Amino acid sequence: LYIILSRFDKYEQNRIRKYIKSPYFNQSQAITDFFELLITDINSKSKKSLTKEHYWKAAFPKEKYNDLRFRKLGSDLLQLIEGFLSQEVFEENKVQQITNLLDAISRKK
């Protein structure tokens, strides 16, 4: 996640932040908190706090570290990042958008 997000420039970081904060795509505050901490660490180029436990405390401050849930949190964030990247490509392709719209209208008869 760190490597993927470190490839995003400031503008992409702002767009993905909006995507992740959208209740249509994400309803988990923990994922949002995890994302924000990752972006903060990436932008500060800090290497000192890059532990699972550090990120866990940001997402779940009152809970004991749980590796299975932490991996699920990371997996869920990765799915959102992949969805964002897919959406970015979709937005660039107007012909595909129109084709998908016509397909959706056809399905609704």
Side-chain angles (χ1 to χ4, degrees):
L1 293 172
Y2 189 93
I3 292 169
I4 293 167
L5 290 173
S6 68
R7 305 274 192 241
F8 286 45
D9 62 29
K10 297 282 185 195
Y11 300 106
E12 292 167 321
Q13 286 178 8
N14 287 332
R15 288 195 310 273
I16 194 170
R17 178 176 286 110
K18 290 176 186 176
Y19 184 92
I20 288 173
K21 286 186 174 184
S22 167
Y24 184 80
F25 298 108
N26 174 34
Q27 296 180 358
S28 169
Q29 185 61 44
I31 292 173
T32 303
D33 294 344
F34 183 33
F35 167 79
E36 290 296 342
L37 187 56
L38 279 166
I39 290 297
T40 299
D41 285 346
I42 288 166
N43 290 338
S44 71
K45 309 234 184 304
S46 172
K47 300 281 190 238
K48 63 182 178 185
S49 61
L50 302 179
T51 66
K52 292 178 182 182
E53 291 79 8
H54 173 75
Y55 291 115
W56 176 265
K57 283 183 183 180
F60 305 103
K62 296 180 181 179
E63 296 182 35
K64 183 180 173 188
Y65 176 75
N66 180 319
D67 192 61
L68 182 64
R69 284 187 61 202
F70 179 78
R71 287 185 279 129
K72 173 76 168 111
L73 180 68
S75 176
D76 291 347
L77 179 55
L78 180 59
Q79 284 183 323
L80 283 170
I81 293 168
E82 289 170 346
F84 168 78
L85 292 171
S86 178
Q87 184 66 33
E88 289 281 291
V89 171
F90 176 75
E91 293 289 330
E92 294 172 359
N93 190 338
K94 298 298 180 192
V95 173
Q96 187 63 46
Q97 288 179 34
I98 293 168
T99 302
N100 289 353
L101 176 58
L102 290 173
D103 184 41
I105 291 170
S106 175
R107 289 180 188 186
K108 294 293 182 188
K109 299 179 183 172

